Amino acid sequence: MRSAYKTPLGYLLKAFDARVLSKCDYMLPSFIFGGVSGQNHVRAAKNLIAGKDRAYFKVDLEKFFEQISIDNVYVFLIKSGCSKEIARFMSEMCCIPMGSKDNPSSNKVLARGFSTSPRLAVWCNIFAFLTLDQKLGRILKHTNYKLSVYVDDIGVTSKSKDLALMNKAFEITKAVLRKNGLKTNDDINKSKPPVKLSGKEEYLGLRLGNRKITIGLKTQKKLAGIKAATRKDLKKRKILKETLRGLRIYNNYVKKTNSEEFKKT
């Protein structure tokens, strides 16, 4: 991960992201949640909830930013109406050599940590995501199908009692992404094959229930552990209380997101 925070490059990238890229957020489909104004991972998880008897699967993209080359960024900027000079300059600014700083590659890719990377990652692969939505919509029609794309995590749910149909959708999802040049991570801890939602499955660290999301098991354990520690560790109580306060704010935000979504539906 590289950072350009509080550097001339960082200020340039922040301005480009805010004044140019963010202005196009309204054109993105509603299933895109990463790198979009007003969206986040909590809303991405909530989007997958739509009542009882749903099935769920998740596909992870392997080293997503590193898969997006400087050429991909350049072509996107050209297609967006930039001149060759501007497209070349901005793609150079937004990308870095692959590999470590001590042993960089000649190949340049999107940089993790740059403010422009999440939006550019989406736009450089928007055709793949639109194609995926179209294909899944055909396979899972009449099942109240839901798709969430949050950076490198793709979640899908549907009201389908037929896991064989969801397995077909799972395989097609990976095939569509690969056909469009994106590598998937097939590690069982990353990409999860279809299962019936039981309230224990998680997406982006949040548990998926029938009608609501809740904080995931890891966060629950952390919350309980810090509560216990504040009663025992008097020396670190102040720091622990600040951490506890942050976790409680996060938990309340998750609960609030549930209630807000109910009001809309």
Side-chain angles (χ1 to χ4, degrees):
M1 182 172 176
R2 304 286 177 86
S3 175
Y5 184 63
K6 288 190 176 180
T7 66
L9 173 60
Y11 291 125
L12 171 64
L13 295 175
K14 188 175 181 180
F16 181 56
D17 186 51
R19 299 177 186 178
V20 180
L21 296 178
S22 69
K23 302 299 182 183
C24 301
D25 284 355
Y26 75 96
M27 292 190 287
L28 288 169
S30 61
F31 59 80
I32 300 289
F33 291 88
V36 182
S37 300
Q39 301 291 14
N40 53 43
H41 76 286
V42 179
R43 292 188 178 278
K46 184 62 180 70
N47 178 59
L48 298 177
I49 302 303
K52 297 189 291 184
D53 303 322
R54 295 185 71 76
Y56 160 72
F57 69 77
K58 182 171 84 76
V59 174
D60 180 78
L61 295 172
E62 185 175 358
K63 295 181 178 178
F64 184 37
F65 290 160
E66 290 87 339
Q67 292 192 52
I68 302 162
S69 71
I70 189 171
D71 290 337
N72 296 143
V73 178
Y74 175 78
V75 169
F76 160 68
L77 293 174
I78 287 291
K79 287 182 176 180
S80 299
C82 292
S83 66
K84 290 183 178 180
E85 291 75 18
I86 293 296
R88 188 175 295 111
F89 174 76
M90 288 312 305
S91 56
E92 285 284 351
M93 293 300 100
C94 295
C95 297
I96 59 170
M98 282 189 71
S100 64
K101 291 182 180 179
D102 300 329
N103 187 29
S105 166
S106 58
N107 298 322
K108 288 189 173 184
V109 295
L110 274 185
R112 288 180 178 272
F114 282 10
S115 57
T116 47
S117 293
R119 284 189 171 93
L120 286 175
V122 168
W123 281 113
C124 287
N125 291 284
I126 193 63
F127 179 77
F129 297 140
L130 289 171
T131 302
L132 176 61
D133 181 48
Q134 185 181 56
K135 294 271 188 181
L136 290 177
R138 288 174 182 169
I139 300 165
L140 301 172
K141 61 183 178 180
H142 311 310
T143 66
N144 195 13
Y145 138 79
K146 299 287 185 178
L147 167 67
S148 286
V149 176
Y150 186 81
V151 191
D152 55 357
D153 283 298
I154 298 167
V156 175
T157 63
S158 78
K159 193 177 178 63
S160 173
K161 296 181 180 180
D162 185 0
L163 275 185
L165 182 63
M166 282 294 278
N167 270 299
K168 182 180 179 182
F170 179 62
E171 294 302 326
I172 285 176
T173 296
K174 293 189 288 184
V176 167
L177 295 169
R178 290 168 183 166
K179 187 175 181 180
N180 284 276
L182 291 169
K183 296 178 183 177
T184 59
N185 188 339
D186 293 332
D187 186 305
I188 192 66
N189 294 314
K190 296 292 185 177
S191 291
K192 298 182 182 295
V195 293
K196 293 288 186 181
L197 279 180
S198 65
K200 295 181 179 180
E201 292 73 26
E202 295 189 11
Y203 175 65
L204 302 171
L206 293 160
R207 282 195 166 184
L208 305 176
N210 288 331
R211 295 289 295 169
K212 65 180 181 178
I213 54 172
T214 54
I215 56 174
L217 184 60
K218 185 177 178 180
T219 308
Q220 288 179 29
K221 287 181 176 179
K222 187 176 181 180
L223 190 58
I226 292 175
K227 279 182 181 178
T230 54
R231 294 191 291 268
K232 297 177 182 179
D233 196 333
L234 299 179
K235 292 182 180 179
K236 295 182 179 178
R237 179 172 286 180
K238 185 177 180 180
I239 296 173
L240 289 169
K241 280 188 173 181
E242 282 299 311
T243 304
L244 184 61
R245 180 174 176 272
L247 286 171
R248 282 173 169 164
I249 289 172
Y250 174 62
N251 190 25
N252 288 335
Y253 174 69
V254 172
K255 292 177 180 178
K256 183 181 177 183
T257 301
N258 282 316
S259 61
E260 284 178 350
E261 292 299 320
F262 282 134
K263 288 175 184 177
K264 292 178 183 178
T265 57

